[in-house]
Amino acid sequence: MADSVAIEVRRYRPEEKSEPYWQRYEVPVREEWMILDALNYIKDNLDGSLSYRWACRMGVCGSCGMMVGGEPILTCASYLADHLPGPIRIEPLRGFPVVRDLVNNLDDFMDKLTAVKPWIVREQEQPLSEGEYLQTPEELDAYKQYSMCINCMLCYAACPIYELEPAFIGPAAIALAQRYNFDSRDQGAEERMDHLSRDEGIWACTFVGECSVVCPKDVDPAGAIQRYKVKAMTQWYKSMLLPWGERKR
Ligand code: FES
């Protein structure tokens, strides 16, 4: 294995230069290092001005997503040695505005996520005296896969539609809407459907499927979107064929 590797980082420092530029660093290679360790080496030893996000270092917080060699990955979960011999190119996630260096502005996602109400919606809360809302293991299994999303945004960076049509609600927000739609305690599916069945919702997805390929938690947002399309179509047919009282069943 090589002793060192060249890492090229796409820098953007608007207070100094109006355009992004590439900066090259030579970093030692350690067998156990992740890409994030190499960035931390640069920050600690070569250039303290480099900006990027990370927190948990264990693939849980979702904050260390970047483009490495053109692919969106969690940098704390990808071995440096797997990217040899280099140079290794690191850029901020594609599709989002860049605040500085490798730091994206994620406001667009946060707005879209909030709009799909990713929480349990109840028409009426049951009184505390009735205890918890219990679920069977089968009811938990119905949504568990979608609840694994860590909001890392790799799926947005991989999605060609989001880049072309920024109004698209996007994979993670739709998968998280499904997480609550399939939860036996939730009653908000209709409210979410009103929002998600718009052109910029599920119908903007052309099922490229890259979102599911890059997802580090196997959430399968592409599958979640297709299931939503089936549901929306079924509801539409019902609305055409059935009398009003039958439509909502
Ligand atoms: Fe938390 Fe990578 S640092 S997921």
Side-chain angles (χ1 to χ4, degrees):
M1 193 160 59
D3 291 339
S4 67
V5 62
I7 293 198
E8 294 174 348
V9 181
R10 193 167 198 260
R11 308 286 315 262
Y12 176 55
R13 305 175 58 74
E15 74 282 8
E16 290 175 2
K17 274 189 181 179
S18 59
E19 293 299 317
Y21 59 98
W22 291 97
Q23 188 156 356
R24 192 176 174 111
Y25 304 94
E26 201 66 24
V27 170
V29 173
R30 305 269 185 273
E31 197 181 347
E32 71 281 8
W33 272 12
M34 302 293 173
I35 293 281
L36 181 61
D37 293 308
L39 288 172
N40 287 342
Y41 179 88
I42 295 171
K43 178 96 177 164
D44 293 344
N45 299 283
L46 305 178
D47 186 348
S49 72
L50 184 62
S51 299
Y52 52 100
R53 287 193 180 113
W54 66 282
C56 72
R57 211 175 176 182
M58 56 174 74
V60 172
C61 73
S63 61
C64 70
M66 300 170 205
M67 307 298 295
V68 177
E71 300 293 328
I73 61 168
L74 289 182
T75 53
C76 73
S78 182
Y79 282 104
L80 182 66
D82 289 345
H83 297 267
L84 298 179
I88 302 170
R89 289 207 140 190
I90 306 180
E91 303 167 69
L93 286 179
R94 185 165 45 214
F96 294 96
V98 178
V99 178
R100 181 185 187 82
D101 293 341
L102 301 167
V103 178
N104 291 103
N105 180 333
L106 302 176
D107 287 353
D108 182 57
F109 168 69
M110 296 312 295
D111 292 343
K112 287 170 176 167
L113 182 63
T114 309
V116 304
K117 302 192 175 180
W119 54 80
I120 288 177
V121 174
R122 297 285 304 175
E123 285 161 14
Q124 203 167 11
E125 292 288 346
Q126 71 185 24
L128 284 178
S129 57
E130 288 186 24
E132 308 93 331
Y133 295 97
L134 298 177
Q135 285 185 318
T136 64
E138 292 74 28
E139 286 170 334
L140 172 64
D141 283 345
Y143 66 85
K144 192 174 174 191
Q145 180 183 15
Y146 303 133
S147 73
M148 304 308 281
C149 175
I150 56 172
N151 298 345
C152 64
M153 302 295 94
L154 301 193
C155 56
Y156 284 74
C159 174
I161 304 301
Y162 183 63
E163 208 177 4
L164 291 171
E165 294 186 37
F168 177 38
I169 292 172
I174 298 176
L176 282 163
Q178 288 288 55
R179 177 255 174 269
Y180 288 92
N181 287 340
F182 290 132
D183 191 319
S184 58
R185 301 164 295 181
D186 181 81
Q187 298 170 326
E190 253 185 68
E191 288 176 45
R192 294 188 195 99
M193 181 63 84
D194 286 345
H195 188 69
L196 287 160
S197 59
R198 297 175 190 164
D199 287 348
E200 63 273 21
I202 49 178
W203 304 113
C205 169
T206 56
F207 201 16
V208 173
E210 276 302 303
C211 53
S212 294
V213 173
V214 302
C215 177
K217 297 295 174 184
D218 295 327
V219 170
D220 189 15
I225 296 171
Q226 306 325 305
R227 288 180 75 182
Y228 224 135
K229 285 179 180 174
V230 172
K231 173 85 177 162
M233 283 298 291
T234 309
Q235 280 200 349
W236 182 80
Y237 274 117
K238 274 187 181 177
S239 73
M240 293 291 110
L241 299 173
L242 297 175
W244 178 251
E246 306 270 312
R247 290 178 187 175
K248 300 198 172 185
R249 288 186 200 158

